[in-house]
């Protein structure tokens, strides 16, 4: 009897077959809705009688419920579990094997608690008419639920999840197997459809809460979406235990129609399956010919690539190019935005132009992303073209797009155009005010910038820093200092602006005071101080600060290196010059 325990699960690598009518196109199926007690022997006798009755009614395929040889409770699973590899330790499988062989019937053996190497599984065994075990399915999706006041049940505390789908070829067609909660996951049913399954059998035991809501709904959904038969079999209802099942064992046809169903009481329902209905349904509505697997796979993977940390744009572009005539606005916009995030501004603008050429309508987010790219290049000509499209598509009233336009014009130096956008905005937020302040400040128009700054209802660190930097860059260190001292939270940009500003004015002492007051000065502050010393002929101090940067492992950037080289030239120190040359060669 060693061959009795051989199992076969169809792996993901097995090649599917196109739908073909099985040798037997019409047959009867039996759904045995059994009453379950705490006496295993009684449960086995009850199942045996139901199998015998089903055969007498002409059934060729029989389905048993989930957990039919023991009560559906975590208190019983381990106690009633059997080792399927040991016939003497598995009276349930022995009974099913003998019944299948004796009656010449295919049995979907419901589900049973199975011990295997110290682990407990919720397992369905399938027997052929010769009594041999054809396949074994371990429940893939474990049922955990907690509805306050109704039910709390956590299958994962007891069982180990299975790790593969199960398809078995039988005398009555190709059958896919799932157990109860497996039915809630359409991916499994879709895989079975793809692998040429004729019928999916789900032994199950939905509870009173989920049963009324979902039991019939999900069965019909799996059947109609995949155009095949779906059979479910539940234990009968027993309200005395801790877990009350819904019942209602059902057979659903390939167009989602209910062929037969039971109530909640113990019963065996018999119905006829006609596989030609699958062929008819798929011919009438050829979903396989209409299914766009190319798009589903590429879009999903492309989204993951764009969301994954790091620069994956090369791979994302390759995948994007595999989608023929892509008209998905979300994907186009995501790719454009991702290029902006990774500072690939030119490519972002090129993608937008291509999106326009293929006729995909942009969203507000598309416009804001490409305008941001135009601002960063800067690309004024392209930015004005985008502005025209904004008007054409009716997005000029979109606040995010308005702010992006304002920012683009300000960055490109067209403050009058930026101000025109600003004045037209009905609800100016802090971002818009700050962008306008930055535009004026960049052009050295500090009077206009100050007027806006003074009239802002609220200010952020960027607006404060912009004003300080603007005055400092224009040599007005008195006003810059006045604003700097009023700042509640000073940052690296403000520190660098003040140090650089004092450096340009030759006030090394004030620059040093600012540097020494900085909290956790970063590489930019150090570099600004090196440059300040060097440009004011404090060559020795510049070199000393450069050396200290390296000692304290502060990153030496280009500004610091240029300052150090300038100081070295002033000193005429060949030894220091050789050291700096070595550092330049080493890239540090």
């Amino acid at each position: 009897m060693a061959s009795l325990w051989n199992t076969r699960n169809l792996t993901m690598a097995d090649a599917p077959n196109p739908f073909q009518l099985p040798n037997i196109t019409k047959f009867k199926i039996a759904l045995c809705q059994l009453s379950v007690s705490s006496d295993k022997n009684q449960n086995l006798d009850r199942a045996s009688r139901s199998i015998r009755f089903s055969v007498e009614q002409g059934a060729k395929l029989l389905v048993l419920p989930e957990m039919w040889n023991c009560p559906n409770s975590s208190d019983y699973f381990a106690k009633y579990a059997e080792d399927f590899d040991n016939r003497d330790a598995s009276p349930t499988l022995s009974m099913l094997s003998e019944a299948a062989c004796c009656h010449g019937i295919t049995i979907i053996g419901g589900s049973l608690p199975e011990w295997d190497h110290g682990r407990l599984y919720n397992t369905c065994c399938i027997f052929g008419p010769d009594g041999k075990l054809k396949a074994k399915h371990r429940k893939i999706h474990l049922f955990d639920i907690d509805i306050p006041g109704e039910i709390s049940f956590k299958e994962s505390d007891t069982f180990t999840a299975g790790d593969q789908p199960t398809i078995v070829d039988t005398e009555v067609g190709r059958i896919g197997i799932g157990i109860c909660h497996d039915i809630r996951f359409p991916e499994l049913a879709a895989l079975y459809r793809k692998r040429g399954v004729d019928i999916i059998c789900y032994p199950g035991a939905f509870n009173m809460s989920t049963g009324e809501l979902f039991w019939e709904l999900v069965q019909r959904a799996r059947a109609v979406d995949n155009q095949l038969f779906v059979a479910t079999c539940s234990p009968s209802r027993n309200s005395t235990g801790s877990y009350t099942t819904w019942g209602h064992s059902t057979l659903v046809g390939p167009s989602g129609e209910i062929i037969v169903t039971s109530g909640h009481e113990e019963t065996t329902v018999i119905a006829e399956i006609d596989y030609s209905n699958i062929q008819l349904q798929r011919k009438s509505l050829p979903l396989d010919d209409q299914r766009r697997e190319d798009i589903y796979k590429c879009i999903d993977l492309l989204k993951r690539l764009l969301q994954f940390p790091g620069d994956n744009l090369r791979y994302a572009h390759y995948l994007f190019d595999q989608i023929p005539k892509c008209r998905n606005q979300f994907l186009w916009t995501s790719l454009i935005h991702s290029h902006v995030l990774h500072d690939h501004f030119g490519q972002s603008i090129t993608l937008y132009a291509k999106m326009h050429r293929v006729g995909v309508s942009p969203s507000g987010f598309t416009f804001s992303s490409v305008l941001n790219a135009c601002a960063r290049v800067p690309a004024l000509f392209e930015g004005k073209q985008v502005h025209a499209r904004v008007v054409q598509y009716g997005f000029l009233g979109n606040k995010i797009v308005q702010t992006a336009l304002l920012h683009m014009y300000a960055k490109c130096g067209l403050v009058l155009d930026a101000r025109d956008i600003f004045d037209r905005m009905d609800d100016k937020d802090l971002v818009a005010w700050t962008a306008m302040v930055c535009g004026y400040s960049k052009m050295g128009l500090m009077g206009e910038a100050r007027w806006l700054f003074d009239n802002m209802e609220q200010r952020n660190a960027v607006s404060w820093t912009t004003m300080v930097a603007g005055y400092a860059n224009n040599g007005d260190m008195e006003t810059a200092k006045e604003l700097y001292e009023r700042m509640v939270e000073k940052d690296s940009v403000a520190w660098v602006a003040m140090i650089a500003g004092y450096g340009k004015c030759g006030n090394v002492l004030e620059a040093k005071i600012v540097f020494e007051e900085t909290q956790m000065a970063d590489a930019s502050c150090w570099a600004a101080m090196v440059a300040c010393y060097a440009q004011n002929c404090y060559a020795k101090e510049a070199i000393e600060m450069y050396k200290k940067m390296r000692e304290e492992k502060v990153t030496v950037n280009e500004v610091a290196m240029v300052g150090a080289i300038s100081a070295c030239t002033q000193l005429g120190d060949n030894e220091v010059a050789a050291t700096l040359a070595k550092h330049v060669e080493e890239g540090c």
Side-chain angles (χ1 to χ4, degrees):
M1 292 296 292
S3 61
L4 174 66
W5 312 115
N6 293 335
T7 63
R8 177 184 179 274
N9 288 61
L10 189 75
T11 67
M12 300 293 287
D14 288 326
N17 295 322
F19 178 74
Q20 299 177 6
L21 284 174
N23 293 331
I24 299 177
T25 59
K26 286 186 181 181
F27 63 92
K28 288 184 179 180
I29 184 174
L31 309 176
C32 303
Q33 187 163 285
L34 302 176
S35 176
V36 179
S37 71
S38 58
D39 188 322
K40 180 184 283 190
N41 290 329
Q42 286 185 6
N43 296 331
L44 296 182
D45 288 342
R46 192 176 288 113
S48 182
R49 289 195 300 271
S50 184
I51 293 170
R52 191 180 312 116
F53 170 79
S54 302
V55 172
E56 291 170 356
Q57 301 301 310
K60 293 295 182 182
L61 175 64
L62 182 140
V63 186
L64 293 171
E66 181 183 25
M67 289 300 161
W68 59 269
N69 77 341
C70 73
N72 199 339
S73 168
S74 56
D75 296 334
Y76 291 89
F77 294 145
K79 178 180 174 184
Y80 281 67
E82 299 177 7
D83 180 357
F84 295 169
D85 290 330
N86 183 351
R87 184 183 181 193
D88 294 333
S90 184
T92 305
L93 259 64
S94 294
M95 185 277 286
L96 291 175
S97 172
E98 291 170 9
C101 183
C102 177
H103 299 296
I105 188 172
T106 299
I107 295 178
I108 311 298
S111 84
L112 311 162
E114 175 201 6
W115 275 119
D116 184 28
H117 295 89
R119 293 185 176 183
L120 197 60
Y121 295 92
N122 187 343
T123 303
C124 175
C125 297
I126 300 91
F127 291 88
D130 57 0
K132 292 182 179 180
L133 185 62
K134 296 180 70 69
K136 184 169 69 173
H137 177 80
R138 288 170 171 167
K139 190 173 185 178
I140 298 172
H141 307 94
L142 298 181
F143 180 61
D144 292 349
I145 187 171
D146 187 10
I147 302 177
E150 292 191 40
I151 182 173
S152 181
F153 189 82
K154 196 168 183 182
E155 200 171 25
S156 62
D157 283 345
T158 306
F159 289 107
T160 299
D163 60 5
Q164 60 180 315
T166 305
I167 298 174
V168 56
D169 289 311
T170 73
E171 308 243 341
V172 288
R174 177 168 283 192
I175 301 175
I177 305 296
I179 298 175
C180 200
H181 198 45
D182 286 341
I183 199 174
R184 294 296 301 273
F185 298 88
E187 301 88 348
L188 181 62
L191 183 148
Y192 285 159
R193 152 74 187 255
K194 206 170 179 182
R195 299 303 171 96
V197 159
D198 307 307
I199 179 171
I200 308 176
C201 295
Y202 293 100
F206 270 41
N207 59 74
M208 298 296 290
S209 300
T210 59
E212 186 173 11
L213 291 172
F214 306 125
W215 179 247
E216 179 182 311
L217 175 67
V218 292
Q219 293 175 61
R220 297 184 71 181
R222 300 301 159 260
V224 73
D225 284 349
N226 297 288
Q227 299 174 308
L228 43 67
F229 286 89
V230 168
T232 60
C233 188
S234 167
S236 65
R237 190 175 303 172
N238 182 350
S239 57
T240 61
S242 59
Y243 186 99
T244 305
T245 54
W246 175 244
H248 297 276
S249 301
T250 304
L251 176 67
V252 182
S255 60
E257 76 281 14
I258 294 179
I259 296 173
V260 68
T261 188
S262 69
H264 60 77
E265 69 286 345
E266 183 175 26
T267 185
T268 297
V269 292
I270 310 289
E272 185 175 74
I273 286 178
D274 185 350
Y275 283 148
S276 65
N277 289 334
I278 297 177
Q279 196 174 44
L280 177 63
Q281 183 67 14
R282 295 183 184 180
K283 185 176 181 181
S284 302
L285 187 59
L287 296 182
D288 277 344
D289 296 338
Q290 301 160 0
R291 204 179 308 275
R292 293 297 304 274
E293 294 286 358
D294 57 332
I295 291 181
Y296 307 149
K297 291 177 181 177
C298 286
I299 285 180
D300 183 60
L301 187 52
L302 185 55
K303 286 179 181 178
R304 290 173 183 269
L305 273 175
L306 293 177
Q307 293 168 359
F308 198 76
D311 188 349
N312 300 295
L313 289 180
R314 183 164 64 89
Y315 304 106
H317 257 299
Y318 175 78
L319 272 178
F320 187 76
D321 292 340
Q322 305 308 305
I323 304 174
K325 300 178 182 179
C326 178
R327 303 189 63 81
N328 187 301
Q329 181 194 79
F330 175 81
L331 282 187
W332 279 98
T333 301
S334 296
L335 203 57
I336 291 168
H337 182 63
S338 294
H339 276 78
V340 176
L341 289 179
H342 290 92
D343 297 337
H344 301 310
F345 307 120
Q347 294 94 318
S348 178
I349 296 169
T350 300
L351 270 171
Y352 165 78
K354 185 177 179 182
M355 177 183 181
H356 176 67
R357 285 197 302 272
V358 299
V360 179
S361 299
S363 66
F365 191 56
T366 313
F367 283 128
S368 65
S369 296
V370 73
L371 284 168
N372 189 10
C374 291
R376 300 287 295 276
V377 172
L380 179 60
F381 177 76
E382 289 81 359
K384 285 186 174 183
Q385 288 185 315
V386 176
H387 187 172
R389 295 297 177 191
V390 167
V391 175
Q392 179 184 352
Y393 282 94
F395 280 93
L396 195 56
N398 183 301
K399 188 164 72 172
I400 295 175
V401 176
Q402 286 177 328
T403 303
L405 274 169
L406 188 163
H407 180 71
M408 185 272 296
Y409 280 124
K411 281 281 189 180
C412 291
L414 271 67
V415 290
L416 292 179
D417 295 84
R419 185 59 185 263
D420 182 60
I421 298 290
F422 181 79
D423 290 339
R424 291 171 183 269
M425 295 177 71
D426 294 328
D427 183 20
K428 303 176 183 68
D429 60 11
L430 179 59
V431 176
W433 280 88
T434 302
M436 198 65 243
V437 169
C438 290
Y440 279 129
S441 178
K442 179 182 178 182
M443 297 302 295
L445 301 172
M446 296 310 299
E448 291 84 348
R450 185 60 183 264
W451 185 91
L452 285 172
F453 181 77
D454 289 340
N455 284 277
M456 294 174 71
E457 291 184 3
Q458 63 182 81
R459 303 173 184 129
N460 58 11
V462 176
S463 55
W464 277 98
T465 301
T466 298
M467 292 301 296
V468 169
Y471 281 118
N473 290 336
N474 282 275
D476 187 354
M477 293 308 299
E478 183 178 346
T479 307
K481 183 177 180 181
E482 179 260 324
L483 289 177
Y484 175 77
E485 290 179 344
R486 286 169 54 192
M487 290 180 70
V488 178
E489 294 183 7
K490 300 176 177 64
D491 59 18
S492 177
V493 178
W495 295 328
V496 170
M498 291 298 290
I499 294 170
Y502 280 127
K504 288 178 183 178
C505 296
N507 196 337
V508 177
L509 179 61
E510 286 291 338
K512 185 178 180 182
I513 291 172
V514 172
F515 179 80
E516 290 175 346
E517 287 178 348
T518 59
Q519 299 172 355
M520 298 182 67
D522 63 10
S524 299
C525 294
W526 282 83
M529 199 64 225
V530 171
C532 176
Y533 279 134
Q535 70 190 45
N536 287 284
C537 299
Y538 286 76
K540 183 178 178 181
E541 288 80 357
I543 295 298
E544 289 301 319
M545 176 149 280
Y546 172 79
K547 290 179 178 179
K548 193 173 181 181
M549 284 183 74
R550 295 185 62 84
E551 289 172 4
E552 298 195 12
K553 301 189 183 307
V554 177
T555 302
V556 177
N557 59 23
E558 185 177 343
V559 173
M561 183 62 74
V562 170
I565 292 172
S566 174
C568 180
T569 303
Q570 295 171 37
L571 290 173
D573 190 326
N574 293 331
E575 183 179 347
V576 174
T579 302
L580 289 174
K582 182 180 179 183
H583 292 168
V584 171
E585 289 177 4
E586 293 173 349
C588 59

